[in-house]
Amino acid sequence: RSPHGFLGGLLLRASCHDVAVERFFADFVQCDVGPWRALTVSDFPLRRLLTKRQQEGLESNGIRWIQSDRTQRATIRPCEAHPNWPRELLSSRTAKTYARREKKLAAIGTLEHRLVFSDGISDSVIDSFLKLEHTNFRKDAGTSLMSHDSHVRFFREMVDSLRARNGVFFSELVSDGRVIASTCNLVSGTSGFAFKLGWDPDFADYSPGVQNELALVAAMQAELSHLEHMDSGAAQGSFMERLWPDRDELVEGVFTCDRLAHWTARAIRSVADVRNRWRRGLG
């Protein structure tokens, strides 16, 4: 898993998925990496990447899966979304709150939401996104893209490569020509992936980040109906769970291919389970 990734595991072309999985683990069994032969993965969509038959095949070759954690990730099917979803998915009280904030924001100046694709992704779109993503708490935590020059170069190169083949789009909320919220989203095949977001703290009272997400969902049917699935990239328990109704199960664990690694991984998991139960007991 990369520093700016929200999924772990294998990224495979659909047309050679099964062959690639089998070859990967065949090579994994044969690799000579010393006494510890294990592969740790996190945020791994196990059921979507490994079929039951493949898991059974791995076990027959001595590869075992030891799961240590499981989380839920908010997802959505843009091809099924419709403009009224934001109001229908939120509670009546919450929907009214954001509607009032949107009305107040529109009173300040002309309010516009726009999706920016391929050739429309200019340097100014990228610059606005980077500044907004850096402005929030991520700057202080040192996790924003602009906290590291190499990460900014990576992002610009990534966007430049993907926009040439419609593999990236931005969702922007604009007030009087000023971008006050922006999200970067990636596309692979018929799947989308929310990458990063940012919003202008000068407009915090109007929840510009949430307003941008609400507008994005409302626009999905018209603009993103070619996508069958979209991953929010959000942590479990985030606001996105109220807005994106579907869920993917992500797991964390270890693939082991020898007895020493297997029993060591099981022992580590047992210790972690005891520790977690003890902490819950203290709580």
Side-chain angles (χ1 to χ4, degrees):
R1 172 177 166 175
S2 68
H4 295 294
F6 302 104
L7 289 174
L10 308 174
L11 179 63
L12 305 173
R13 186 183 298 276
S15 60
C16 48
H17 177 278
D18 291 350
V19 174
V21 168
E22 292 171 5
R23 182 57 185 268
F24 174 83
F25 281 103
D27 289 348
F28 176 51
V29 170
Q30 297 172 10
C31 69
D32 183 12
V33 292
W36 304 95
R37 290 194 295 166
L39 176 67
T40 302
V41 293
S42 60
D43 290 336
F44 183 60
L46 181 65
R47 293 180 182 176
R48 288 199 292 120
L49 289 182
L50 293 179
T51 65
K52 184 178 180 180
R53 180 184 64 81
Q54 287 172 330
Q55 292 184 55
E56 292 172 349
L58 293 180
E59 290 180 3
S60 68
N61 286 303
I63 299 177
R64 298 186 182 184
W65 166 250
I66 301 176
Q67 187 168 304
S68 57
D69 196 12
R70 176 188 295 134
T71 59
Q72 296 285 316
R73 172 73 58 76
T75 63
I76 195 169
R77 290 178 58 80
C79 56
E80 296 179 355
H82 57 80
N84 291 329
W85 260 20
R87 297 185 185 89
E88 295 176 3
L89 296 173
L90 297 174
S91 68
S92 176
R93 181 177 180 180
T94 301
K96 289 179 180 178
T97 296
Y98 288 116
R100 285 196 301 270
R101 292 176 183 175
E102 180 186 14
K103 186 175 181 180
K104 291 179 179 178
L105 187 56
I108 296 176
T110 303
L111 185 63
E112 175 190 5
H113 173 258
R114 60 194 182 199
L115 293 181
V116 189
F117 300 94
S118 56
D119 292 342
I121 301 175
S122 62
D123 288 343
S124 64
V125 170
I126 297 172
D127 292 342
S128 294
F129 168 80
L130 285 170
K131 291 175 182 177
L132 292 172
E133 197 262 343
H134 183 65
T135 300
N136 306 136
F137 63 90
R138 300 173 192 83
K139 175 177 63 176
D140 297 331
T143 59
S144 69
L145 290 164
M146 288 184 68
S147 296
H148 308 277
D149 290 342
S150 60
H151 292 195
V152 173
R153 290 195 298 273
F154 148 74
F155 179 73
R156 291 186 183 279
E157 290 174 8
M158 179 187 74
V159 172
D160 188 54
S161 175
L162 290 177
R163 64 182 170 185
R165 53 180 185 270
N166 298 318
V168 60
F169 68 92
F170 289 78
S171 173
E172 294 184 327
L173 190 68
V174 184
S175 176
D176 266 357
R178 175 179 175 180
V179 180
I180 61 174
S182 178
T183 69
C184 176
N185 308 272
L186 311 179
V187 176
S188 177
T190 58
S191 294
F193 303 87
F195 179 61
K196 299 274 188 180
L197 61 85
W199 47 270
D200 193 329
D202 291 345
F203 294 81
D205 290 344
Y206 309 100
S207 305
V210 175
Q211 300 290 355
N212 191 24
E213 295 292 351
L214 291 170
L216 172 60
V217 172
M220 281 184 174
Q221 185 181 63
E223 301 285 352
L224 301 172
S225 60
H226 59 288
L227 296 180
E228 298 176 359
H229 170 271
M230 191 159 179
D231 187 310
S232 69
Q236 184 169 298
S238 75
F239 175 82
M240 296 301 291
E241 291 186 350
R242 302 190 207 176
L243 196 57
W244 291 28
D246 302 318
R247 299 289 181 270
D248 265 358
E249 182 180 77
L250 304 181
V251 297
E252 180 177 335
V254 182
F255 288 102
T256 65
C257 62
D258 59 51
R259 289 186 177 181
L260 179 59
H262 177 70
W263 290 110
T264 301
R266 288 195 62 171
I268 292 173
R269 176 183 174 180
S270 296
V271 171
D273 288 344
V274 171
R275 181 189 60 193
N276 291 336
R277 286 197 296 271
W278 179 71
R279 286 177 174 175
R280 286 196 296 270
L282 288 179

